[in-house]
Amino acid sequence: MVRTHWSIRAVMTWGLILALAILNAVVRETLLAPALGETVALPVSGVVLSALILLVAGLSVPYFRPVEPRVFWLSGVLWLGLTLLFEVGLAFLVVGLAWRELLASLDPRDGNLFILVLVMTLLAPRLAAKIRNLV
């Protein structure tokens, strides 16, 4: 039996998180925003995505084992890095946003909880491992 390195599993798990994030955005734009308005849909979407990230982490971290506890922190850093690369690439290459517009998405005062999503992305593997008594 070939053992898959924890980093490969972490990247595969992040791919699932990415798919859920895209689905979350579609639901927000097509269902929530028209029904509730953008000022409600945006924070609801941020909280839902953060919960989904923690749920996926909780289901996946047992498969990162056996590893050292630091691997859960490294997985969070990896997930955060991949998320930032994806977001910056999407913002600049596809949407054509300026830095100012991209950085505005980190300001929660307008209801955008993307900063919460980023923090959860970083902490989720370690939190999930702690919740599941793996560390």
Side-chain angles (χ1 to χ4, degrees), residues 55-83:
L55 176 66
V56 169
L59 294 173
S60 66
V61 293
Y63 298 103
F64 293 6
R65 291 192 68 177
V67 295
E68 299 173 25
R70 71 183 179 99
V71 164
F72 300 115
W73 285 117
L74 293 172
S75 296
V77 169
L78 178 62
W79 288 2
L80 179 61
L82 290 170
T83 300

Side-chain angles (χ1 to χ4, degrees), residues 21-77:
I22 292 168
L23 179 62
N24 182 59
V26 169
V27 168
R28 180 186 66 236
E29 295 302 318
T30 60
L31 299 176
L32 292 178
L36 305 173
E38 190 70 21
T39 57
V40 174
L42 202 53
V44 167
S45 176
V47 170
V48 167
L49 182 54
S50 295
L52 287 171
I53 291 168
L54 185 57
L55 176 66
V56 169
L59 294 173
S60 66
V61 293
Y63 298 103
F64 293 6
R65 291 192 68 177
V67 295
E68 299 173 25
R70 71 183 179 99
V71 164
F72 300 115
W73 285 117
L74 293 172
S75 296
V77 169

Side-chain angles (χ1 to χ4, degrees), residues 18 29 34 40 43 64 71 73 89 96-97 100 104 113 116 130 134:
L18 176 61
E29 295 302 318
V40 174
F64 293 6
V71 164
W73 285 117
L97 293 180
R100 180 178 24 229
L113 298 182
L116 172 66
K130 184 73 172 167
L134 299 175

Side-chain angles (χ1 to χ4, degrees), residues 77-108:
V77 169
L78 178 62
W79 288 2
L80 179 61
L82 290 170
T83 300
L84 291 172
L85 282 173
F86 177 82
E87 288 294 329
V88 169
L90 181 68
F92 292 128
L93 301 176
V94 177
V95 180
L97 293 180
W99 273 108
R100 180 178 24 229
E101 295 168 304
L102 180 62
L103 293 175
S105 71
L106 299 176
D107 185 355

